[in-house]
Amino acid sequence: MSELLILGGRVVDPASGTDGPRDVLLRDGRVAAVELPGALADVAVAERIDAAGCVVAPGLIDIHVHLREPGQTHKETIATGTAAAAAGGFTTVVAMPNTTPVNDSVKSLRWMMDAARGPVVKLLAMPAATFGSLGSEITDFHELVKAGAVGFTDDGKPVLEDEVMRAALVAAAGLGVPVSQHAEDTRLTTGCSMNAGRVAFRLGLRGMPVEAEARIVERDLRLLREIEAADRVRPHLHVQHVSTSRALHAIQRAKAEGLHVTCEATPHHFTLTEEAIGDYDTNAKMNPPLRAEADRRAVVEALLDGTVDCIATDHAPHASWEKEVEFERAANGITGLETALGLALRVLHREHGMELARVISLMSTRPAEVIGLKERGNLRVGSHADVVVFDAAAEWKFAASESRSKSKNTPFDGAAMLGRVRATVCEGRVVYRA
Amino acid sequence: MTERAKRAATKGAGVGLLSVTPADSSAVAAGSLLTVEHLSVADVAGILAMTARLERMDAAERARVLLGRTVALLFYESSTRTRTSFELAAKSLGATTTLVSDKSSSIEKGESLKDTGLTLRALGAEAIILRHPSSGAAFLLARVTGLPVLNAGDGMHQHPSQALLDLRTILLRLGRDASTVDAKTLDGITVVITGDILHSRVARSNAMLLPRLGARVVLCGPPELLPESALGIGAGVEIERDFDRALRRADVVMMLRIQKERLAGFDLDLAEFIARYQLSAERLKTVSAKTIVMHPGPIIRGLEITGEVADGPQSAIEDQVSQGLAIRRALLVRALGGKA
């Protein structure tokens, strides 16, 4: 019987509405008790965490990470990526399928989820929506869900064909999981490496118009309407890393209309604009690209007003030599697991006045709900003992060189962070301690 | 801090989180010329003064200025004017030059720009002149080698030496002192740049440089080749779609080639383009006989410009080429810290 007592902290559990001094007892990988200070004083446990001055919250959940294994282990492995997750306060991450080979079969999903990969936190996966993520034939959703899939996506390669996306949404609806779409009409973004507009013109780079994102979102929402009307099922569309005002407005309207749509936003899209590219900094290159200030503000607004359901990092590690090339040739993406909480607290909590509980909801409670996890993302008695303990007032600077990720491709090297993780507990095990 | 870094920092002040450190061009060797944005008006004046001094020297004296120095020309795109003039400029100053092009080098075998630059440095290159199809490539090369890099054209981004030689050509044609400039030198002068602005590094470089010396720059072309976002170039730049109207205001008209190699998929109605934007003798006759006609080359006779105009008395096209040699000498001396 393993027990862990977290004492003296401020428990913030959006699921139960708790926000106050509580002690938390974890036993055998589950939450055993959350009590007022003193009530658990007599419990004899082997291990204690002194959480005085800290927030104790359900472990963070990132439903969009690239762990690069199998096939691209020079960038990251499941072990190193999940170690970075633990350091960032995450207790669950959802791996995207764009590995080599693509995760599109029960066999590859099982290999990825095998304990032999050495995950430090809970690893879940969204397998490919189509075989090879080629966009033509949907994978075996039924068998993949039985094997643990929490959704389907061709992340990075949007499903462009209406009929294929329609089939994916219908198949996923029957299984109660989302289809997660990287919304980019790639017919509008050939050869583009940043956001379209004045900065792109000045830099002489081809730009991705905001319409490229909005068009796919609008198309997918139309499909939801058609399917609800014709098939009598209620598909769940999840829109990844929304970066434009126009797409956010479409999502907001669809939510008001009652469609089952959720979406995520990344820390870099609510923190930075395209100006961060500066003199061709490839660590500011990702897809969707950093946008103009008006779009960044729209993302912040949508996080504040609830249009955005959750924060996801799109953690995308790349080796230095894949970034130290011409801007147009550089790989898309940045690491994000160790900077997400520090940026969310700094930008959303401090600068935009978002309640701490709301930040935690966006990073734990809501992402759990988006992928249908009932026993994670909350501190209910009986739930998995996934807990993050952080000092919400700690100010520090992130140093890429100290990252646990195998890759250091981040525009936030040296950037100010607010809130530092002191301990991460996954299923009752302390997986990170600072 | 560069202008661009300053802008980024100011822009980010609201959130206070922008990090531009990894790409900060303060890491770039002095004497580099990557973009005209990095040049102050005083820098431009200095380059013009150096150009004039070098021009006045006799050939034998000039040949000692960079004697024993080594310059590498690294060309990933074809070039006639720029390559030859940089090479002849370096040789006239006594420097040793070596040319590496993407064909017939290990670049064909997949060697990266970084490794190619490090190789040239290890072989003794003290400065690298780079032409490359990717915007920003010169920044990368300057950062990874630490050597002075002269950007001889990077994608659609910049061609700083072209803007400087165009400036000198304009000053000489206007009968001005070409050995110095200040922020008012070109007050009252309107420069119309016409054609394929979108793909043109020459247009960007001139449209950034000339307004800082007092000129008004009018960009002219159809929306496919001149999007509204071109106003992002900066202050002192405007868009005029009607070429005839623009021409009536022009003291200088720069024509640009349509860069078929960068059109990336969209079809342009050439007959329509010629009808609206070609600089023909008929069109030129309707405006002042003093209007200076320029073109960075290569020209496609019968497309953006007629042969008659290119060869006509108002054409400064060959002057531009000659000024290329003069300006590039000064840039090489500046890059290598030579005395002249």
Side-chain angles (χ1 to χ4, degrees):
Chain A
M1 198 165 84
S2 71
E3 286 186 329
L4 178 64
L5 193 53
I6 302 171
L7 287 163
R10 167 187 170 192
V11 167
V12 181
D13 178 23
S16 65
T18 305
D19 185 347
R22 299 284 190 283
D23 294 339
V24 178
L25 178 65
L26 309 176
R27 181 182 291 143
D28 294 337
R30 298 277 172 171
V31 176
V34 179
E35 298 292 343
L36 285 166
L40 299 170
D42 298 337
V43 180
V45 293
E47 200 175 359
R48 289 164 188 260
I49 290 176
D50 176 9
C54 288
V55 170
V56 178
L60 308 182
I61 296 173
D62 189 347
I63 64 171
H64 191 152
V65 301
H66 299 270
L67 299 180
R68 308 302 191 199
E69 192 175 358
Q72 302 155 29
T73 54
H74 64 285
K75 299 173 194 266
E76 193 80 285
T77 65
I78 287 170
T80 58
T82 53
F90 290 93
T91 52
T92 299
V93 293
V94 177
M96 293 294 107
N98 62 336
T99 47
T100 312
V102 171
N103 180 22
D104 60 4
S105 68
V106 169
K107 188 176 167 221
S108 62
L109 177 61
R110 288 211 172 112
W111 185 91
M112 198 182 271
M113 311 272 273
D114 194 302
R117 304 287 87 76
V120 177
V121 302
K122 180 65 181 175
L123 174 65
L124 297 170
M126 285 196 194
T130 65
F131 283 107
S133 286
L134 295 173
S136 50
E137 191 191 342
I138 68 167
T139 54
D140 190 342
F141 282 20
H142 189 262
E143 285 304 310
L144 285 162
V145 166
K146 275 204 327 204
V150 295
F152 295 92
T153 183
D154 281 351
D155 178 41
K157 291 185 175 176
V159 183
L160 292 180
E161 294 297 325
D162 286 17
E163 279 319 301
V164 178
M165 188 59 183
R166 189 178 200 288
L169 285 165
V170 170
L175 298 161
V177 296
V179 174
S180 182
Q181 177 83 294
H182 167 114
E184 177 192 354
D185 190 336
T186 49
R187 292 161 294 204
L188 298 179
T189 58
T190 312
C192 297
S193 53
M194 68 171 290
N195 183 45
R198 292 182 172 208
V199 181
F201 192 92
R202 194 177 80 227
L203 292 172
L205 294 170
R206 295 179 196 278
M208 305 185 191
V210 295
E211 291 77 17
E213 178 173 275
R215 270 200 207 177
I216 295 297
V217 171
E218 285 158 4
R219 190 280 312 259
D220 288 348
L221 294 171
R222 172 173 60 78
L223 290 174
L224 287 189
R225 269 179 220 113
E226 289 172 7
I227 292 166
E228 283 205 13
D231 300 66
R232 299 189 177 280
V233 291
R234 191 168 151 74
H236 175 188
L237 171 71
H238 179 73
V239 186
Q240 299 181 334
H241 42 49
V242 187
S243 64
T244 63
S245 170
R246 191 167 147 185
L248 286 163
H249 279 119
I251 291 165
Q252 195 173 35
R253 284 194 301 273
K255 285 186 166 191
E257 190 185 327
L259 295 174
H260 192 185
V261 54
T262 55
C263 69
E264 69 194 32
T266 71
H268 46 276
H269 287 118
F270 67 64
T271 302
L272 299 175
T273 69
E274 58 193 348
E275 295 280 355
I277 291 168
D279 289 332
Y280 304 91
D281 181 358
T282 57
N283 282 331
K285 182 184 177 188
M286 68 287 291
N287 187 4
L290 295 173
R291 303 282 187 183
E293 176 63 6
D295 282 312
R296 186 192 73 85
R297 283 181 182 278
V299 173
V300 171
E301 285 304 312
L303 281 154
L304 291 168
D305 73 18
T307 302
V308 171
D309 297 89
C310 62
I311 292 168
T313 66
D314 193 7
H315 177 79
H318 292 292
S320 60
W321 68 85
E322 294 164 317
K323 283 289 196 180
E324 214 173 26
V325 295
E326 297 85 333
F327 193 87
E328 291 165 307
R329 292 180 62 189
N332 276 311
I334 61 170
T335 59
L337 286 163
E338 290 159 287
T339 47
L341 181 64
L343 292 172
L345 290 173
R346 171 93 194 245
V347 178
L348 302 177
H349 177 55
R350 174 182 282 176
E351 299 189 20
H352 291 277
M354 183 184 281
E355 295 283 334
L356 194 60
R358 172 102 185 106
V359 175
I360 292 163
S361 177
L362 283 164
M363 298 186 76
S364 179
T365 320
R366 289 293 293 136
E369 289 166 3
V370 168
I371 56 169
L373 305 179
K374 293 189 173 55
E375 298 185 338
R376 299 185 195 272
N378 61 70
L379 294 177
R380 273 192 288 272
V381 170
S383 280
H384 288 286
D386 294 349
V387 184
V388 59
V389 178
F390 62 94
D391 177 352
E395 303 203 38
W396 58 292
K397 283 193 163 53
F398 179 69
S401 59
E402 288 166 23
S403 171
R404 279 158 176 77
S405 169
K406 209 165 179 176
S407 295
K408 317 295 175 196
N409 53 307
T410 169
F412 297 114
D413 191 19
M417 302 277 141
L418 177 65
R420 186 141 214 185
V421 176
R422 299 297 178 202
T424 307
V425 181
C426 182
E427 298 182 351
R429 288 170 293 112
V430 178
V431 292
Y432 175 80
R433 196 83 189 256
Chain B
M1 214 180 198
T2 66
E3 283 304 308
R4 200 178 279 159
K6 268 185 216 156
R7 261 205 303 279
T10 321
K11 196 88 175 189
V15 285
L17 281 163
L18 280 179
S19 158
V20 292
T21 345
D24 194 329
S25 44
S26 60
V28 164
S32 288
L33 182 52
L34 308 179
T35 163
V36 296
E37 277 191 280
H38 291 168
L39 291 176
S40 67
V41 173
D43 290 334
V44 177
I47 291 165
L48 289 174
M50 172 85 77
T51 305
R53 277 202 301 281
L54 289 164
E55 198 172 50
R56 282 195 304 270
M57 281 182 187
D58 65 62
E61 189 188 355
R62 202 155 53 213
R64 288 192 295 273
V65 174
L66 294 180
L67 191 64
R69 310 297 296 271
T70 305
V71 176
L73 291 100
L74 179 52
F75 275 63
Y76 286 75
E77 270 186 354
S78 53
S79 164
T80 303
R81 270 156 297 276
T82 306
R83 202 196 76 195
T84 312
S85 64
F86 263 119
E87 196 169 347
L88 291 174
K91 286 187 166 135
S92 75
L93 296 164
T96 300
T97 64
T98 180
L99 170 70
V100 177
S101 77
D102 58 330
K103 316 284 185 301
S104 78
S105 73
S106 287
I107 296 163
E108 273 193 315
K109 301 173 189 165
E111 189 165 33
S112 69
L113 178 58
K114 174 179 175 170
D115 288 317
T116 305
L118 294 179
T119 301
L120 292 174
R121 188 180 70 181
L123 288 169
E126 297 169 87
I128 303 176
I129 296 154
L130 177 71
R131 165 159 294 190
H132 198 287
S134 274
S135 298
F139 281 89
L140 173 69
L141 186 69
R143 283 196 290 265
V144 297
T145 62
L147 292 177
V149 169
L150 297 180
N151 182 359
D154 61 331
M156 312 189 305
H157 175 230
Q158 284 275 312
H159 195 354
S161 62
Q162 179 74 40
L164 291 166
L165 73 88
D166 286 342
L167 168 64
R168 193 163 195 263
T169 304
I170 292 169
L171 293 172
L172 289 169
R173 277 270 171 159
L174 290 172
R176 307 280 176 88
D177 173 7
S179 67
T180 189
V181 280
D182 60 34
K184 292 183 169 177
T185 301
L186 295 179
D187 273 5
I189 299 296
T190 298
V191 179
V192 173
I193 309 179
T194 303
D196 186 356
I197 311 286
L198 175 62
H199 301 107
S200 175
R201 50 201 177 205
V202 174
R204 282 176 183 76
S205 302
N206 272 303
M208 277 177 195
L209 179 68
L210 300 177
R212 286 161 54 199
L213 306 172
R216 186 83 203 154
V217 167
V218 178
L219 303 175
C220 189
E224 308 93 292
L225 299 177
L226 175 56
E228 290 292 323
S229 58
L231 293 173
I233 286 174
V237 176
E238 63 182 277
I239 291 174
E240 167 61 77
R241 303 280 176 206
D242 184 330
F243 187 31
D244 292 301
R245 205 178 318 164
L247 261 186
R248 285 197 285 276
R249 298 170 55 194
D251 298 289
V252 177
V253 57
M254 288 185 188
M255 301 306 297
L256 300 171
R257 178 178 67 93
I258 293 173
Q259 300 191 35
K260 287 193 179 139
E261 68 274 28
R262 295 187 225 273
L263 278 181
F266 64 82
D267 291 322
L268 189 74
D269 183 339
L270 283 184
E272 165 84 7
F273 179 84
I274 288 169
R276 294 188 59 191
Y277 296 104
Q278 184 187 64
L279 187 60
S280 60
E282 296 71 45
R283 215 166 227 143
L284 195 56
K285 263 182 220 145
T286 66
V287 298
S288 163
K290 286 185 186 162
T291 304
I292 303 164
V293 174
M294 296 174 70
H295 194 308
I299 66 174
I300 307 298
R301 288 171 188 252
L303 215 164
E304 72 275 7
I305 190 167
T306 61
E308 199 181 350
V309 172
D311 298 333
Q314 287 168 259
S315 169
I317 296 173
E318 283 181 44
D319 292 2
Q320 289 174 271
V321 178
S322 309
Q323 293 314 323
L325 189 61
I327 284 286
R328 284 166 182 140
R329 275 194 205 117
L331 293 178
L332 285 162
V333 173
R334 180 176 177 266
L336 291 169
K339 294 275 179 286

